[in-house]
Amino acid sequence: MTSADDKDYGLSTLAVRAGHVRTNEQEQSEPIFLSSSFTFDSAAQAAARFSGEETGNIYSRFSNPTVRMFQDRLAAMEGGESCVATASGMSAILATCMSLLRSGDHIVSSSGVFGTTVNLFNKILSRFGLETSFVPLTDYAAWERAIGPRTRMLYLETPSNPLTEVADVARLSELARKHDCLLVVDNCFCTPALQKPLSQGADIIIHSATKYLDGQGRCVGGAVVGDQQRVGEEVQAFLRTAGPTMSAFNAWVFLKGLETLQLRMRAHSDNALALADWLQHQPGVTRVNYPGLASHPQHELATRQQSAYGGIVSFEVDGGREQAWRVIDGVRLISITANLGDLKTTITHPASTTHGRISAQEREDCGVGENLIRLSVGIEDLADLQADLGRALRPA
Ligand SMILES: *Cc1c(COP(=O)(O)O)cnc(C)c1O
Protein backbone atom coordinates (compact mmCIF):
# COMPACT_ATOMS: atom_id res chain seq x y z
CA MET A 1 0.00 0.00 0.00
CA THR A 2 1.56 3.31 -0.99
CA SER A 3 0.89 6.47 0.96
CA ALA A 4 -0.94 7.89 -2.06
CA ASP A 5 -3.56 5.16 -1.64
CA ASP A 6 -4.01 5.81 2.06
CA LYS A 7 -6.49 8.64 1.67
CA ASP A 8 -8.96 6.34 -0.03
CA TYR A 9 -9.10 3.71 2.71
CA GLY A 10 -11.06 3.60 5.93
CA LEU A 11 -9.45 3.41 9.35
CA SER A 12 -9.90 -0.36 9.79
CA THR A 13 -8.16 -0.99 6.47
CA LEU A 14 -5.32 1.40 7.26
CA ALA A 15 -4.87 -0.25 10.67
CA VAL A 16 -3.98 -3.60 9.11
CA ARG A 17 -2.45 -2.50 5.79
CA ALA A 18 -0.89 0.97 5.86
CA GLY A 19 2.89 1.21 5.94
CA HIS A 20 3.54 -2.45 5.17
CA VAL A 21 6.38 -2.81 2.68
CA ARG A 22 7.05 -6.44 1.70
CA THR A 23 10.58 -7.72 1.21
CA ASN A 24 11.55 -10.16 -1.56
CA GLU A 25 10.49 -12.97 0.80
CA GLN A 26 6.86 -11.88 0.27
CA GLU A 27 5.98 -12.29 3.93
CA GLN A 28 2.35 -11.75 4.91
CA SER A 29 3.18 -10.40 8.39
CA GLU A 30 5.48 -7.41 8.88
CA PRO A 31 9.11 -8.47 9.48
CA ILE A 32 11.25 -7.33 12.42
CA PHE A 33 14.51 -5.83 11.22
CA LEU A 34 16.76 -6.38 14.23
CA SER A 35 19.79 -4.77 12.64
CA SER A 36 21.63 -1.85 14.19
CA SER A 37 23.27 -0.85 10.89
CA PHE A 38 22.81 -1.37 7.16
CA THR A 39 25.35 -2.07 4.43
CA PHE A 40 26.21 -0.13 1.27
CA ASP A 41 27.09 -1.35 -2.22
CA SER A 42 30.14 0.90 -2.32
CA ALA A 43 32.04 3.67 -0.55
CA ALA A 44 30.37 6.11 -2.93
CA GLN A 45 26.92 4.90 -1.89
CA ALA A 46 27.86 5.22 1.79
CA ALA A 47 28.94 8.80 1.13
CA ALA A 48 25.72 9.55 -0.77
CA ARG A 49 23.60 8.14 2.08
CA PHE A 50 25.44 10.16 4.73
CA SER A 51 25.25 13.39 2.74
CA GLY A 52 21.54 12.91 2.16
CA GLU A 53 21.92 12.78 -1.63
CA GLU A 54 20.48 9.29 -1.58
CA THR A 55 17.71 8.13 0.76
CA GLY A 56 18.03 4.77 2.47
CA ASN A 57 18.99 3.10 5.71
CA ILE A 58 22.24 3.85 7.50
CA TYR A 59 21.84 3.08 11.16
CA SER A 60 18.82 2.26 13.33
CA ARG A 61 19.11 5.43 15.39
CA PHE A 62 18.39 7.26 12.10
CA SER A 63 15.87 4.89 10.52
CA ASN A 64 14.77 1.26 10.67
CA PRO A 65 12.36 -0.48 8.26
CA THR A 66 10.11 -1.93 11.01
CA VAL A 67 10.01 1.37 12.86
CA ARG A 68 9.18 3.10 9.57
CA MET A 69 6.24 0.74 8.99
CA PHE A 70 4.85 1.65 12.41
CA GLN A 71 5.38 5.35 11.75
CA ASP A 72 3.70 5.23 8.35
CA ARG A 73 0.76 3.24 9.69
CA LEU A 74 0.14 5.58 12.64
CA ALA A 75 0.55 8.68 10.42
CA ALA A 76 -2.08 7.28 8.04
CA MET A 77 -4.45 6.51 10.90
CA GLU A 78 -4.07 9.98 12.46
CA GLY A 79 -4.34 11.67 9.06
CA GLY A 80 -0.87 13.25 9.44
CA GLU A 81 1.86 13.72 6.84
CA SER A 82 4.57 12.36 9.05
CA CYS A 83 5.15 10.32 12.21
CA VAL A 84 8.30 9.82 14.21
CA ALA A 85 8.48 6.97 16.76
CA THR A 86 10.22 7.45 20.09
CA ALA A 87 11.47 5.31 22.99
CA SER A 88 8.55 6.34 25.23
CA GLY A 89 5.66 8.76 25.44
CA MET A 90 7.79 11.10 27.55
CA SER A 91 10.54 11.17 24.93
CA ALA A 92 7.88 12.05 22.33
CA ILE A 93 6.98 15.13 24.41
CA LEU A 94 10.65 15.93 25.07
CA ALA A 95 11.57 15.59 21.37
CA THR A 96 8.66 17.84 20.36
CA CYS A 97 9.64 20.59 22.79
CA MET A 98 13.39 20.36 22.13
CA SER A 99 12.99 20.49 18.37
CA LEU A 100 10.16 23.01 17.96
CA LEU A 101 10.89 25.45 20.81
CA ARG A 102 13.93 27.42 21.90
CA SER A 103 15.16 28.99 25.10
CA GLY A 104 12.93 31.92 26.10
CA ASP A 105 9.78 30.41 24.61
CA HIS A 106 6.67 29.93 26.72
CA ILE A 107 4.24 26.99 26.86
CA VAL A 108 0.64 27.16 28.02
CA SER A 109 -0.50 23.72 29.19
CA SER A 110 -3.68 22.39 30.69
CA SER A 111 -3.15 21.68 34.39
CA GLY A 112 -4.65 18.19 34.18
CA VAL A 113 -1.90 16.67 32.02
CA PHE A 114 -0.04 13.46 32.91
CA GLY A 115 1.95 13.97 36.16
CA THR A 116 5.33 13.28 34.57
CA THR A 117 4.56 15.81 31.81
CA VAL A 118 4.05 18.45 34.52
CA ASN A 119 7.44 17.48 35.98
CA LEU A 120 9.11 17.59 32.56
CA PHE A 121 7.83 21.13 32.02
CA ASN A 122 8.46 22.39 35.58
CA LYS A 123 11.63 20.62 36.62
CA ILE A 124 13.60 19.95 33.43
CA LEU A 125 12.56 22.21 30.55
CA SER A 126 12.46 25.18 32.98
CA ARG A 127 16.23 24.76 33.48
CA PHE A 128 16.74 25.34 29.76
CA GLY A 129 14.77 28.56 29.59
CA LEU A 130 11.37 27.15 28.65
CA GLU A 131 8.66 28.43 30.92
CA THR A 132 5.23 26.82 31.31
CA SER A 133 1.96 28.27 32.61
CA PHE A 134 -0.85 25.93 33.59
CA VAL A 135 -4.53 26.66 33.03
CA PRO A 136 -7.74 24.68 33.66
CA LEU A 137 -8.41 22.57 30.58
CA THR A 138 -11.88 23.89 29.83
CA ASP A 139 -11.44 27.55 30.86
CA TYR A 140 -10.92 29.12 27.42
CA ALA A 141 -10.63 32.64 28.84
CA ALA A 142 -7.79 31.44 31.07
CA TRP A 143 -6.00 29.97 28.03
CA GLU A 144 -6.21 33.29 26.24
CA ARG A 145 -5.11 35.27 29.32
CA ALA A 146 -2.08 33.02 29.80
CA ILE A 147 -0.84 33.57 26.24
CA GLY A 148 1.94 36.17 26.10
CA PRO A 149 4.32 37.49 23.44
CA ARG A 150 6.72 34.53 23.92
CA THR A 151 4.06 31.80 23.91
CA ARG A 152 4.78 29.31 21.13
CA MET A 153 2.89 26.20 22.20
CA LEU A 154 -0.48 25.24 23.64
CA TYR A 155 -0.38 21.76 25.14
CA LEU A 156 -3.26 19.54 26.29
CA GLU A 157 -4.73 16.10 26.81
CA THR A 158 -8.37 15.42 26.14
CA PRO A 159 -9.99 13.64 27.87
CA SER A 160 -7.82 14.53 30.84
CA ASN A 161 -6.24 12.09 33.26
CA PRO A 162 -7.75 11.11 35.66
CA LEU A 163 -10.81 13.41 35.69
CA THR A 164 -11.84 12.81 32.05
CA GLU A 165 -12.53 16.47 31.32
CA VAL A 166 -12.98 17.16 27.60
CA ALA A 167 -11.60 20.21 25.76
CA ASP A 168 -12.89 21.64 22.49
CA VAL A 169 -9.91 21.07 20.17
CA ALA A 170 -11.36 23.16 17.31
CA ARG A 171 -11.87 26.10 19.65
CA LEU A 172 -8.33 25.87 21.06
CA SER A 173 -6.93 25.56 17.54
CA GLU A 174 -8.55 28.89 16.64
CA LEU A 175 -6.87 30.42 19.67
CA ALA A 176 -3.53 28.88 18.67
CA ARG A 177 -3.92 30.23 15.12
CA LYS A 178 -4.78 33.71 16.38
CA HIS A 179 -1.66 33.88 18.57
CA ASP A 180 0.66 32.06 16.18
CA CYS A 181 1.16 29.09 18.53
CA LEU A 182 1.41 25.38 17.87
CA LEU A 183 -1.45 23.29 19.21
CA VAL A 184 -0.10 20.02 20.62
CA VAL A 185 -2.60 17.32 21.67
CA ASP A 186 -1.65 14.19 23.61
CA ASN A 187 -4.08 11.71 22.02
CA CYS A 188 -3.17 8.83 24.30
CA PHE A 189 -6.61 8.33 25.84
CA CYS A 190 -8.71 8.31 22.67
CA THR A 191 -6.24 7.21 19.98
CA PRO A 192 -7.16 7.78 16.30
CA ALA A 193 -9.81 5.08 16.72
CA LEU A 194 -11.97 7.56 18.67
CA GLN A 195 -10.65 11.05 17.89
CA LYS A 196 -8.61 12.76 15.16
CA PRO A 197 -7.28 16.05 16.59
CA LEU A 198 -5.37 16.96 13.39
CA SER A 199 -8.67 17.16 11.55
CA GLN A 200 -9.90 19.58 14.24
CA GLY A 201 -6.96 21.93 13.78
CA ALA A 202 -4.23 20.51 16.04
CA ASP A 203 -0.68 20.77 14.67
CA ILE A 204 1.05 17.98 16.54
CA ILE A 205 -0.19 14.71 18.09
CA ILE A 206 1.67 13.03 20.94
CA HIS A 207 1.27 9.35 21.75
CA SER A 208 2.35 7.15 24.58
CA ALA A 209 2.22 3.94 22.51
CA THR A 210 2.69 2.14 25.84
CA LYS A 211 -1.02 2.56 26.45
CA TYR A 212 -3.74 1.72 23.93
CA LEU A 213 -1.57 1.48 20.79
CA ASP A 214 0.02 -1.64 22.25
CA GLY A 215 -3.05 -2.26 24.36
CA GLN A 216 -1.66 -5.39 25.93
CA GLY A 217 0.82 -4.02 28.44
CA ARG A 218 4.01 -5.24 26.78
CA CYS A 219 6.23 -2.40 25.59
CA VAL A 220 7.09 1.22 26.33
CA GLY A 221 7.10 3.56 23.33
CA GLY A 222 5.83 6.82 21.91
CA ALA A 223 5.23 8.81 18.75
CA VAL A 224 4.89 12.33 17.37
CA VAL A 225 2.55 12.92 14.40
CA GLY A 226 2.21 16.08 12.31
CA ASP A 227 3.39 17.78 9.14
CA GLN A 228 6.49 16.85 7.16
CA GLN A 229 8.49 19.98 8.02
CA ARG A 230 8.03 20.00 11.79
CA VAL A 231 7.82 16.26 12.48
CA GLY A 232 9.44 14.58 9.47
CA GLU A 233 12.37 17.04 9.45
CA GLU A 234 12.78 18.81 12.77
CA VAL A 235 11.63 16.21 15.32
CA GLN A 236 13.33 13.49 13.26
CA ALA A 237 16.59 15.49 13.24
CA PHE A 238 16.44 15.83 17.02
CA LEU A 239 15.93 12.09 17.50
CA ARG A 240 18.68 11.18 15.08
CA THR A 241 21.12 13.28 17.10
CA ALA A 242 19.81 12.96 20.66
CA GLY A 243 18.89 9.30 20.35
CA PRO A 244 15.62 8.39 22.16
CA THR A 245 14.41 6.27 19.24
CA MET A 246 12.08 3.25 19.24
CA SER A 247 13.49 -0.26 18.96
CA ALA A 248 12.53 -2.40 15.97
CA PHE A 249 11.10 -5.06 18.24
CA ASN A 250 8.86 -2.60 20.06
CA ALA A 251 7.77 -1.09 16.72
CA TRP A 252 6.66 -4.54 15.59
CA VAL A 253 4.63 -5.06 18.80
CA PHE A 254 2.96 -1.66 18.27
CA LEU A 255 2.28 -2.45 14.60
CA LYS A 256 0.39 -5.55 15.73
CA GLY A 257 -1.37 -3.42 18.36
CA LEU A 258 -2.59 -0.95 15.74
CA GLU A 259 -4.20 -3.80 13.80
CA THR A 260 -6.76 -4.42 16.55
CA LEU A 261 -6.97 -0.85 17.87
CA GLN A 262 -10.48 -0.10 16.67
CA LEU A 263 -11.92 -3.38 17.92
CA ARG A 264 -10.28 -2.90 21.29
CA MET A 265 -11.27 0.76 21.70
CA ARG A 266 -14.89 -0.13 20.98
CA ALA A 267 -14.80 -2.93 23.56
CA HIS A 268 -13.07 -0.71 26.17
CA SER A 269 -15.63 2.04 25.57
CA ASP A 270 -18.64 -0.28 25.82
CA ASN A 271 -17.44 -1.80 29.09
CA ALA A 272 -16.43 1.56 30.56
CA LEU A 273 -19.78 3.17 29.79
CA ALA A 274 -21.69 0.32 31.41
CA LEU A 275 -19.39 0.25 34.43
CA ALA A 276 -19.51 4.05 34.92
CA ASP A 277 -23.29 3.98 34.80
CA TRP A 278 -23.37 1.13 37.33
CA LEU A 279 -20.86 2.86 39.64
CA GLN A 280 -23.14 5.91 39.90
CA HIS A 281 -25.62 3.74 41.80
CA GLN A 282 -23.20 2.06 44.21
CA PRO A 283 -23.22 2.94 47.93
CA GLY A 284 -20.17 4.90 49.05
CA VAL A 285 -19.52 6.31 45.55
CA THR A 286 -20.03 10.08 45.66
CA ARG A 287 -19.05 11.01 42.12
CA VAL A 288 -18.28 9.30 38.79
CA ASN A 289 -16.27 10.97 36.00
CA TYR A 290 -16.86 9.58 32.51
CA PRO A 291 -17.57 11.59 29.33
CA GLY A 292 -20.21 9.07 28.26
CA LEU A 293 -22.47 9.86 31.21
CA ALA A 294 -25.21 12.44 30.63
CA SER A 295 -24.12 14.00 33.96
CA HIS A 296 -20.60 14.76 32.61
CA PRO A 297 -20.16 18.53 32.10
CA GLN A 298 -18.78 18.10 28.56
CA HIS A 299 -20.92 15.12 27.55
CA GLU A 300 -22.27 16.89 24.48
CA LEU A 301 -18.84 18.03 23.31
CA ALA A 302 -17.42 14.52 23.82
CA THR A 303 -20.26 13.11 21.74
CA ARG A 304 -19.44 15.57 18.95
CA GLN A 305 -15.66 15.30 19.09
CA GLN A 306 -15.20 11.58 19.78
CA SER A 307 -16.73 8.49 18.22
CA ALA A 308 -16.92 6.78 21.65
CA TYR A 309 -15.91 7.72 25.19
CA GLY A 310 -12.86 5.56 25.85
CA GLY A 311 -11.82 3.25 28.67
CA ILE A 312 -10.89 5.60 31.51
CA VAL A 313 -13.32 6.11 34.39
CA SER A 314 -12.59 7.78 37.70
CA PHE A 315 -14.72 7.99 40.80
CA GLU A 316 -14.69 9.45 44.29
CA VAL A 317 -15.52 7.50 47.41
CA ASP A 318 -17.01 8.81 50.62
CA GLY A 319 -13.92 9.50 52.76
CA GLY A 320 -10.23 10.20 52.14
CA ARG A 321 -7.08 8.30 51.25
CA GLU A 322 -7.79 5.54 53.77
CA GLN A 323 -11.18 4.73 52.25
CA ALA A 324 -9.81 4.90 48.66
CA TRP A 325 -6.96 2.54 49.54
CA ARG A 326 -9.39 0.17 51.27
CA VAL A 327 -11.47 -0.08 48.08
CA ILE A 328 -8.34 -0.64 45.96
CA ASP A 329 -7.04 -3.29 48.34
CA GLY A 330 -10.45 -4.98 48.20
CA VAL A 331 -10.32 -5.98 44.52
CA ARG A 332 -9.21 -9.49 43.59
CA LEU A 333 -9.60 -9.63 39.82
CA ILE A 334 -8.67 -6.07 38.81
CA SER A 335 -4.91 -5.36 38.76
CA ILE A 336 -3.48 -2.71 41.06
CA THR A 337 -1.11 -0.95 38.67
CA ALA A 338 -0.58 2.60 37.52
CA ASN A 339 -0.50 1.59 33.85
CA LEU A 340 -3.56 2.12 31.70
CA GLY A 341 -4.83 1.14 28.29
CA ASP A 342 -4.47 -2.57 28.87
CA LEU A 343 -7.00 -5.27 27.98
CA LYS A 344 -6.93 -6.15 31.68
CA THR A 345 -8.76 -3.69 33.94
CA THR A 346 -6.45 -1.72 36.23
CA ILE A 347 -7.13 0.36 39.33
CA THR A 348 -4.98 3.09 40.83
CA HIS A 349 -4.96 5.88 43.42
CA PRO A 350 -3.72 8.88 41.41
CA ALA A 351 -2.92 11.15 44.40
CA SER A 352 -0.28 8.72 45.72
CA THR A 353 0.99 7.23 42.42
CA THR A 354 0.75 8.95 39.02
CA HIS A 355 0.23 12.36 40.65
CA GLY A 356 2.26 11.60 43.80
CA ARG A 357 5.38 13.53 42.84
CA ILE A 358 3.68 16.82 42.06
CA SER A 359 2.98 19.14 44.98
CA ALA A 360 -0.25 19.04 46.97
CA GLN A 361 -1.08 22.48 45.53
CA GLU A 362 -0.59 21.22 41.95
CA ARG A 363 -2.78 18.21 42.75
CA GLU A 364 -5.49 20.46 44.11
CA ASP A 365 -5.24 22.68 41.01
CA CYS A 366 -5.91 19.70 38.77
CA GLY A 367 -8.66 18.29 41.01
CA VAL A 368 -6.98 15.04 42.05
CA GLY A 369 -8.33 14.45 45.55
CA GLU A 370 -7.28 11.81 48.08
CA ASN A 371 -10.64 10.06 47.64
CA LEU A 372 -10.27 9.66 43.86
CA ILE A 373 -9.81 6.23 42.24
CA ARG A 374 -9.02 5.69 38.55
CA LEU A 375 -10.04 2.67 36.54
CA SER A 376 -8.69 1.77 33.14
CA VAL A 377 -11.51 -0.50 32.06
CA GLY A 378 -10.45 -3.62 30.17
CA ILE A 379 -12.40 -6.16 28.19
CA GLU A 380 -13.24 -8.72 30.90
CA ASP A 381 -16.90 -9.67 31.33
CA LEU A 382 -18.81 -6.72 32.77
CA ALA A 383 -20.49 -8.91 35.42
CA ASP A 384 -17.09 -10.01 36.75
CA LEU A 385 -15.86 -6.41 37.00
CA GLN A 386 -19.05 -5.37 38.76
CA ALA A 387 -18.77 -8.28 41.22
CA ASP A 388 -15.14 -7.41 41.97
CA LEU A 389 -15.78 -3.70 42.53
CA GLY A 390 -19.06 -4.36 44.33
CA ARG A 391 -17.24 -6.52 46.87
CA ALA A 392 -14.48 -3.91 47.32
CA LEU A 393 -16.99 -1.10 47.82
CA ARG A 394 -19.02 -2.95 50.46
CA PRO A 395 -18.49 -1.33 53.89
CA ALA A 396 -16.08 -3.22 56.14
C1 LIG B 1 1.70 7.36 30.06
C2 LIG B 1 1.44 8.67 29.49
C3 LIG B 1 2.48 9.47 28.98
C4 LIG B 1 3.93 9.03 29.07
O1 LIG B 1 4.17 7.91 28.29
P1 LIG B 1 5.33 6.82 28.60
O2 LIG B 1 5.20 5.89 27.47
O3 LIG B 1 5.02 6.24 29.93
O4 LIG B 1 6.61 7.56 28.62
C5 LIG B 1 2.17 10.67 28.40
N1 LIG B 1 0.90 11.10 28.33
C6 LIG B 1 -0.14 10.36 28.82
C7 LIG B 1 -1.52 10.89 28.70
C8 LIG B 1 0.10 9.14 29.41
O5 LIG B 1 -0.92 8.44 29.90
Side-chain angles (χ1 to χ4, degrees):
M1 217 167 118
T2 68
S3 54
D5 295 333
D6 289 358
K7 290 176 194 63
D8 304 329
Y9 290 112
L11 199 57
S12 297
T13 306
L14 294 174
V16 296
R17 298 270 180 193
H20 187 183
V21 180
R22 287 204 174 89
T23 72
N24 291 336
E25 302 295 342
Q26 298 198 284
E27 64 284 352
Q28 160 71 345
S29 176
E30 298 77 357
I32 313 178
F33 284 90
L34 286 178
S35 182
S36 49
S37 71
F38 299 85
T39 59
F40 311 108
D41 293 335
S42 64
Q45 187 183 45
R49 291 267 173 97
F50 271 84
S51 72
E53 253 167 72
E54 181 185 306
T55 57
N57 296 310
I58 298 174
Y59 186 59
S60 280
R61 172 155 42 76
F62 305 177
S63 71
N64 173 281
T66 310
V67 174
R68 190 175 321 112
M69 287 183 217
F70 166 72
Q71 293 176 158
D72 290 349
R73 183 166 297 175
L74 183 57
M77 292 175 74
E78 284 284 8
E81 281 176 7
S82 185
C83 170
V84 171
T86 57
S88 65
M90 291 317 303
S91 54
I93 302 169
L94 178 70
T96 299
C97 293
M98 295 303 269
S99 47
L100 302 180
L101 301 174
R102 30 199 48 58
S103 180
D105 285 352
H106 175 240
I107 302 166
V108 181
S109 169
S110 59
S111 51
V113 291
F114 188 62
T116 313
T117 305
V118 174
N119 275 344
L120 176 70
F121 290 157
N122 280 348
K123 300 200 171 139
I124 297 181
L125 295 183
S126 61
R127 289 196 271 121
F128 298 89
L130 284 172
E131 212 191 306
T132 306
S133 304
F134 293 91
V135 295
L137 179 65
T138 58
D139 185 345
Y140 303 99
W143 281 94
E144 184 140 36
R145 273 198 309 277
I147 295 173
R150 314 217 61 158
T151 310
R152 292 272 77 89
M153 181 183 283
L154 309 185
Y155 188 94
L156 67 127
E157 289 167 23
T158 177
S160 70
N161 176 19
L163 296 179
T164 76
E165 290 172 306
V166 177
D168 189 332
V169 175
R171 186 164 173 185
L172 285 169
S173 82
E174 277 172 33
L175 196 63
R177 229 38 87 239
K178 183 173 152 197
H179 294 277
D180 202 19
C181 299
L182 290 173
L183 183 64
V184 179
V185 177
D186 182 332
N187 201 24
C188 174
F189 275 30
C190 274
T191 81
L194 304 186
Q195 158 174 291
K196 302 274 215 50
L198 292 177
S199 71
Q200 292 152 350
D203 298 293
I204 305 280
I205 303 296
I206 299 288
H207 272 290
S208 168
T210 317
K211 313 297 166 51
Y212 289 106
L213 300 193
D214 171 17
Q216 292 160 74
R218 299 167 293 193
C219 289
V220 173
V224 185
V225 187
D227 63 88
Q228 176 57 26
Q229 174 59 35
R230 292 192 191 98
V231 176
E233 306 285 333
E234 293 172 45
V235 178
Q236 168 64 24
F238 172 82
L239 281 169
R240 175 178 167 145
T241 302
T245 47
M246 179 180 282
S247 82
F249 179 80
N250 286 8
W252 180 82
V253 171
F254 295 134
L255 265 170
K256 293 291 132 189
L258 289 178
E259 293 182 351
T260 57
L261 183 64
Q262 279 197 294
L263 297 172
R264 288 186 286 107
M265 292 312 289
R266 216 169 294 147
H268 283 296
S269 299
D270 289 350
N271 250 5
L273 179 58
L275 201 62
D277 187 35
W278 174 85
L279 272 170
Q280 290 188 111
H281 306 107
Q282 300 312 303
V285 174
T286 53
R287 181 192 169 91
V288 180
N289 304 306
Y290 187 66
L293 297 176
S295 59
H296 188 283
Q298 294 98 34
H299 174 63
E300 224 178 295
L301 169 63
T303 304
R304 200 160 12 99
Q305 190 165 271
Q306 305 172 200
S307 62
Y309 305 103
I312 305 300
V313 176
S314 63
F315 62 98
E316 289 178 358
V317 291
D318 197 6
R321 174 178 291 206
E322 198 182 330
Q323 178 61 11
W325 278 22
R326 205 186 64 75
V327 171
I328 293 169
D329 290 343
V331 299
R332 285 191 221 148
L333 177 69
I334 295 172
S335 317
I336 306 176
T337 169
N339 194 24
L340 61 92
D342 197 296
L343 292 173
K344 301 179 177 79
T345 300
T346 67
I347 191 166
T348 192
H349 181 245
S352 57
T353 60
T354 53
H355 291 62
R357 284 192 300 164
I358 60 175
S359 70
Q361 182 61 48
E362 284 167 328
R363 267 200 301 279
E364 194 174 312
D365 289 348
C366 63
V368 177
E370 290 289 342
N371 62 345
L372 186 77
I373 294 172
R374 186 193 71 197
L375 289 169
S376 167
V377 181
I379 64 164
E380 300 96 334
D381 286 289
L382 179 64
D384 294 332
L385 295 175
Q386 289 171 339
D388 201 32
L389 282 168
R391 182 174 348 98
L393 283 164
R394 217 166 292 142

